[in-house]
Amino acid sequence: MAKERTQVGIIGAGPAGLMLSHLLARVGIDSVVLERRSREYVEKRVRAGVLEQGTVNLMRETGVGARMDREGLVHRGIALRFEGGDHRIDFEDLTGGSTITVYGQQEVVKDLIAARLAAGQRLHFEIEDVSAHDVSSSAPKLRYTLGDESVELECDFIAGCDGFHGVSRDAIPADHLTRYEREYPFGWVGILASVAPSAEELIYSSHDRGFALLSMRSPTLTRLYVQCDRSDTIDDWPDARIWEELHLRLATDEGFELKEGPIVEKTIAWMHSVVTEPMQHGRLFLAGDAAHIVPATGAKGLNLAVHVVRVLSAALDLWYRSGSPAALAAYSETCLRRVWRAQHFSYWMTTMLHRFPTDDAFQRKLQLAQLRWVSSSRDAAASLAENYVGIVRV
Ligand code: FAD
Ligand code: DHB
C-alpha cells in the first residue's frame, strides 16, 4: 500500500471540501481532497444558485471571485407571489445595503477546482472506497483506491465534507451522535431551461396548487422549481406537465407571461432537514451536508457549508500557529448555533410557502394571513430579508 502524508485530509470536492482546502492553502496548511466522482461530473452537477453577501465577500477576498463578479447577477430583492399579485421584499433597503448574488453552485465549484489545480495542490477525482481510521487518535488516516493503487494517507486531521450520502459520518461511533431529522411530505422538480428569465428577480409563489419558484442562472438560462408529492418520480413529470403547473402557479391577475424554452436539465430534490450533533469526534470534523441539510426554500444549504468551513479553517489555523485547541474544541458548538438558525429559517420559509397534504382550508387562510403580514409589515419583511441575505444573529 502506498503511503502519503498531509496535514488535513478532506473527503469530498463539493463547496465545503473545496472551499476548506482553498482557505487552508491561503494560510499555508497542506491538504489533500479526495472525490469519488469525475471532475466533469462535479462541474456539471446543477444545484443551488443563491450566494449570500458573506459567501460573495469570501470568494472575492480569497481571490476566486473574478468570474463571479463578471457573470453573477446581483439581486436587491425577491418577490413573494400570492393571491394573484407580487409583494417585493427589498433586501437592500431592509438590511442597510445587503444583496444576494445569483451564481450557480457548479460555477463556484469550477472556480475553486481551477484555483486549486493552478496552484499545483492535490485534488484526486474518481477515488474509490475511502475510509477513515483512528479518528480518536492523534494520527488519523484515510485509506482509498486510486486507479489500481491502494493508498494510505496519514493526516493530522480529517474533514468529512462528503455530503449527505458520504461515509465520514459512519466513522463516528453511533452512540456518540444524535441525529435530529424532519422529512417534509413533498419535494421540488427542478428544471433548467434555455430561455431568458421571465422576471428580473426571483419569484417565490405560494399557490393553492402548491409552491413554485422562478430563478435564473444567466440572461439566457432560467431555473424553475415546482412542488411535487413525496411519492412522485421524475417520470410523473413530463415536460408538458411541468410547464402547465408553472403557468398555473405563477399566474397573476395582471397576466404574467412565463416564457418557455427547451429543458436542458431536470431533477427531483426532496425537502428534508437533518442535523447531526456533535459535528466533531476526535480529529474528524464534519462540515456541510455531511452534518446538516436544510430544505432548499431558504437557499441556505450552500451558504451554510461555506460558513462552517470558514470556522473550521480558522480553528485549524489557530492550532497550527499557536498549538491552541480552543477553537477546534468549540467548532461544533459554534457552528451548530448557525446551523439551527438556518434550520429554523428554512422551515419557516418552507411552511409559509408550500401546501401540505394535510392542510385544510383553515390552514390556507392562516398561511395567506402570514404572507400578507410578511409583505406589509416592515419589521416582518426585515426579518425575512436579514435571514435571506446572510444570517448574522444566531
Ligand atoms: P456536496 O455538494 O454534496 O459535496 C459532497 C461531495 O462529496 C460530492 O462531490 C460527492 O461526490 C463527494 N462524496 C460523497 N461521498 C464520497 C465518498 N465516499 N468518497 C469521496 N467523495 C465523496 N441548496 C440550495 O440552497 N438551493 C437548492 O436549490 C439546492 N438544490 C439541491 C439539489 C440537490 C439534488 C441536492 C442534493 C442539494 C441541493 N441543495 C440546494 C443543497 C446544496 O446544494 C448543498 O447544501 C451543498 O451542495 C452542500 O455542499 P457540500 O460540499 O457540503 O456537499
Ligand atoms: C435557487 C434555489 C433555491 O433553493 C432558492 O431558494 C432560490 C434559488 C436556485 O437554484 O436558483
Side-chain angles (χ1 to χ4, degrees):
M1 184 179 290
K3 297 240 182 210
E4 288 193 27
R5 206 196 120 69
T6 188
Q7 291 174 299
V8 183
I10 300 175
I11 316 175
L18 289 167
M19 182 56 90
L20 177 63
S21 68
H22 176 62
L23 297 176
L24 292 175
R26 287 181 58 84
V27 290
I29 299 172
D30 184 61
S31 66
V32 175
V33 182
L34 304 173
E35 167 60 49
R36 74 169 170 188
R37 302 285 193 175
S38 66
R39 178 176 180 183
E40 194 193 5
Y41 183 93
V42 298
E43 290 190 342
K44 288 206 171 137
R45 191 165 41 192
V46 180
R47 285 185 173 176
V50 171
L51 305 187
E52 292 177 357
Q53 187 79 61
T55 306
V56 167
N57 293 347
L58 185 67
M59 301 255 306
R60 244 179 232 149
E61 285 157 16
T62 62
V64 284
R67 199 164 65 90
M68 173 194 70
D69 279 333
R70 279 198 311 276
E71 298 175 16
L73 310 167
V74 175
H75 283 206
R76 298 181 166 76
I78 55 166
L80 298 180
R81 181 169 288 181
F82 57 92
E83 294 180 313
D86 279 344
H87 309 265
R88 186 164 186 265
I89 307 290
D90 185 331
F91 295 153
E92 212 173 22
D93 174 43
L94 292 163
T95 63
S98 290
T99 57
I100 52 146
T101 298
V102 177
Y103 189 62
Q105 174 168 328
Q106 77 273 30
E107 307 306 327
V108 174
V109 163
K110 272 186 218 161
D111 294 342
L112 289 168
I113 290 175
R116 183 156 184 89
L117 296 180
Q121 288 147 357
R122 287 177 287 176
L123 161 55
H124 302 302
F125 292 100
E126 298 179 72
I127 63 110
E128 286 172 24
D129 302 327
V130 68
S131 55
H133 303 268
D134 306 328
V135 297
S136 304
S137 78
S138 57
K141 295 164 196 71
L142 289 173
R143 295 203 186 107
Y144 59 95
T145 311
L146 182 58
D148 295 334
E149 194 171 41
S150 297
V151 183
E152 183 172 89
L153 179 66
E154 289 175 7
C155 314
D156 296 331
F157 297 96
I158 293 174
C161 303
D162 47 352
F164 185 55
H165 300 289
V167 294
S168 57
R169 250 185 347 257
D170 297 342
I172 304 181
D175 58 351
H176 283 70
L177 286 184
T178 305
R179 183 178 161 112
Y180 300 89
E181 183 163 20
R182 172 155 305 177
E183 263 196 58
Y184 294 85
F186 43 74
W188 288 1
V189 177
I191 60 165
L192 204 55
S194 279
V195 60
S198 307
E200 283 183 8
E201 292 183 335
L202 272 64
I203 301 168
Y204 285 80
S205 180
S206 176
H207 191 275
D208 288 351
R209 299 181 67 86
F211 173 72
L213 169 60
L214 183 146
S215 180
M216 60 217 61
R217 287 293 177 271
S218 75
T220 55
L221 265 185
T222 303
R223 179 83 167 140
L224 292 147
Y225 298 97
V226 58
Q227 178 185 349
C228 64
D229 291 344
R230 189 71 183 81
S231 55
D232 285 354
T233 68
I234 205 69
D235 295 338
D236 293 315
W237 287 88
D239 295 2
R241 180 178 176 204
I242 296 175
W243 288 116
E244 191 188 344
E245 277 302 322
L246 286 167
H247 282 290
L248 290 168
R249 297 184 194 188
L250 288 166
T252 61
D253 295 345
E254 287 187 353
F256 175 73
E257 266 184 56
L258 176 67
K259 289 180 225 150
E260 291 189 23
I263 294 179
V264 292
E265 204 262 354
K266 178 158 93 171
T267 43
I268 288 196
W270 306 115
M271 296 296 115
H272 195 182
S273 295
V274 179
V275 181
T276 307
E277 294 193 13
M279 290 167 58
Q280 176 214 353
H281 181 73
R283 290 199 170 204
L284 169 63
F285 293 81
L286 302 177
D289 279 17
H292 42 76
I293 55 171
V294 288
T297 327
K300 287 288 156 244
L302 161 65
N303 294 292
L304 196 54
V306 168
H307 177 82
V308 300
V309 299
R310 189 178 200 169
V311 174
L312 183 55
S313 74
L316 288 166
D317 184 32
L318 181 72
W319 191 88
Y320 280 108
R321 274 191 296 110
S322 71
S324 166
L328 282 175
Y331 167 75
S332 185
E333 210 182 314
T334 307
C335 292
L336 283 168
R337 287 183 69 87
R338 179 176 283 247
V339 167
W340 279 110
R341 176 87 294 282
Q343 283 294 2
H344 178 262
F345 177 63
S346 305
Y347 152 87
W348 184 78
M349 288 284 280
T350 301
T351 50
M352 179 168 72
L353 290 160
H354 290 75
R355 292 305 313 267
F356 284 67
T358 48
D359 280 357
D360 56 10
F362 186 88
Q363 191 60 34
R364 181 65 180 149
K365 292 278 186 193
L366 289 180
Q367 208 173 33
L368 290 169
Q370 185 184 5
L371 282 162
R372 281 184 222 120
W373 170 65
V374 168
S375 312
S376 57
S377 148
R378 187 176 170 88
D379 286 348
S383 75
L384 191 162
E386 167 184 307
N387 281 281
Y388 197 100
V389 300
I391 293 159
V392 280
R393 281 177 273 273
V394 294

